[in-house]
Amino acid sequence: MSSSPDHLARTRAADSDRRRTRVLKVLDELAAEGQEITVSPFARAAGVHRSLIHRHGDLHAAVLARASEPPLSTASGTQVSRKSLQADVANLTARNRRLSAHIARLERHLSEALGQTAWEASGLAAPADIEILTRRTTELEQQILDLRGELTERDEDFQAARAANRELMAQLNR
């Protein structure tokens, strides 16, 4: 058994060629079966680590090229491509985000409405007809001012009548 550097390099090159051949063979088999081709499951099926595929640009390009091709299946019916499925996933994800935002807005609105109802039911909130009550308060305050004015006038009249009565009584008593 020789352990010279040349022998080790040839052995390593032969092993690398065997792995590359196995990777390309499995790639053809998976494509023929119409299975989905992505790096990790493909590397597992080929019995190699995914880093091997990523390190060798030509293998990685071959995997990506096969993954983008439509399946070779001859089954009748509608064929769905990987890109169309990805587009569907992207659209559904966006729709899910929009619906989640809408639900959050509805929950916030419901929470505010329930909070306002509870606040009003507790008696701590201002009455709903606050404007009417404010207007009525203003009217009553004006009425009080008018009545005080009338009371002041009557008091003055009363004081004048008293003074006149005193003067008349004083003249009668003399």
Side-chain angles (χ1 to χ4, degrees):
M1 193 172 246
S2 172
S3 62
S4 70
D6 290 338
H7 176 69
L8 290 175
R10 283 193 305 270
T11 304
R12 183 168 170 91
D15 183 51
S16 181
D17 287 342
R18 276 193 307 277
R19 281 197 247 168
R20 290 173 72 79
T21 303
R22 185 172 59 219
V23 165
L24 294 172
K25 180 181 173 194
V26 170
L27 183 60
D28 290 337
E29 289 172 0
L30 290 177
E33 292 172 6
Q35 292 188 23
E36 179 182 1
I37 299 174
T38 58
V39 174
S40 291
F42 166 72
R44 205 172 340 186
V48 296
H49 194 272
R50 66 181 181 273
S51 65
L52 175 86
I53 296 167
H54 287 292
R55 276 192 318 248
H56 296 276
D58 60 326
L59 292 177
H60 192 248
V63 170
L64 294 179
R66 284 291 175 96
S68 66
E69 292 176 1
L72 300 174
S73 174
T74 57
S76 62
T78 305
Q79 293 293 330
V80 178
S81 72
R82 179 178 173 85
K83 289 191 187 248
S84 70
L85 290 175
Q86 287 174 334
D88 287 347
V89 167
N91 289 333
L92 291 172
T93 301
R95 182 172 190 255
N96 189 14
R97 257 189 245 114
R98 286 191 310 272
L99 289 174
S100 293
H102 183 67
I103 288 170
R105 281 191 306 273
L106 290 175
E107 286 174 343
R108 190 171 43 253
H109 183 69
L110 178 61
S111 176
E112 289 171 1
L114 288 175
Q116 184 63 32
T117 302
W119 178 254
E120 290 170 1
S122 71
L124 298 173
D129 54 355
I130 191 85
E131 187 175 315
I132 294 169
L133 292 175
T134 304
R135 197 173 329 121
R136 180 69 177 140
T137 302
T138 305
E139 290 171 2
L140 291 174
E141 286 172 348
Q142 185 61 46
Q143 188 178 4
I144 289 170
L145 291 174
D146 292 343
L147 290 173
R148 281 186 181 157
E150 287 180 27
L151 184 59
T152 303
E153 282 181 36
R154 288 185 184 170
D155 275 347
E156 290 172 0
D157 290 344
F158 180 67
Q159 292 298 329
R162 261 178 135 178
N165 190 22
R166 266 191 235 125
E167 203 175 294
L168 286 174
M169 289 300 276
Q171 286 176 1
L172 281 175
N173 287 336
R174 290 189 220 166

